[in-house]
Amino acid sequence: MPAVQSTFSSNQAAAFLGQIADGEQVTNVISRVVDPATANPISFGDPVLQGASDGTIQSVSGGSGAFRGIAVRDPTLPPSAGDQYVATLTAAVLTKGVIWVNATVAVAAGQPAYVTSAGALTNVATNNTAIANGMWDSTTTIAGLARLRLG
């Protein structure tokens, strides 16, 4: 029988997009269905907006509506989903707590967080929408994985 895996890293990755960063007792995760009318999938760690009807969400990219939270990583999704929530799947959405996301620029702990119209997360206020009670919880020197605190 051939080896299933013949090479591996000696160190695990520090974090993954959409991974809840710690076990704080103030974490809140809700379930919402990805709006069936949406064409844009939602990747782990992406910000999401209210969908067209109650109980639904949609991607910031190409969507409009109130900010609802950040999509949480779900390792139980079918492989065909490609690590994304697609239309009609039920998504886990963090509304309060700390989660790993992709900062599109260098950020510093304590800075306010903003989302662009394309769905990127940043610390730049100009032409972007503030995430209410959102702040960066870690510091990066370049764009990349960072902890975002909601709530």
Side-chain angles (χ1 to χ4, degrees):
M1 174 185 253
V4 174
Q5 181 176 352
S6 60
T7 61
F8 58 93
S9 173
S10 58
N11 298 313
Q12 287 185 315
F16 297 96
L17 289 174
Q19 177 182 333
I20 295 176
D22 51 38
E24 290 183 10
Q25 296 300 317
V26 296
T27 299
N28 187 56
V29 178
I30 60 174
S31 296
R32 293 292 182 266
V33 174
V34 178
D35 196 325
T38 187
N40 294 325
I42 299 168
S43 296
F44 301 149
D46 279 359
V48 296
L49 303 175
Q50 174 63 41
S53 58
D54 292 355
T56 65
I57 57 168
Q58 61 183 315
S59 172
V60 172
S61 179
S64 63
F67 176 81
R68 292 307 310 258
I70 302 292
V72 176
R73 173 173 287 280
D74 183 352
T76 66
L77 283 179
S80 60
D83 287 345
Q84 294 180 319
Y85 294 110
V86 295
T88 72
L89 284 180
T90 299
V93 179
L94 184 96
T95 62
K96 186 173 191 175
V98 184
I99 190 166
W100 289 96
V101 298
N102 185 36
T104 56
V105 295
V107 297
Q111 290 180 324
Y114 299 87
V115 62
T116 70
S117 60
L121 295 163
T122 183
N123 59 358
V124 178
T126 307
N127 297 323
N128 296 320
T129 303
I131 297 174
N133 300 315
M135 79 166 67
W136 295 102
D137 205 48
S138 64
T139 301
T140 66
T141 55
I142 59 172
L145 278 174
R147 291 166 48 116
L148 177 64
R149 178 175 295 276
L150 299 179

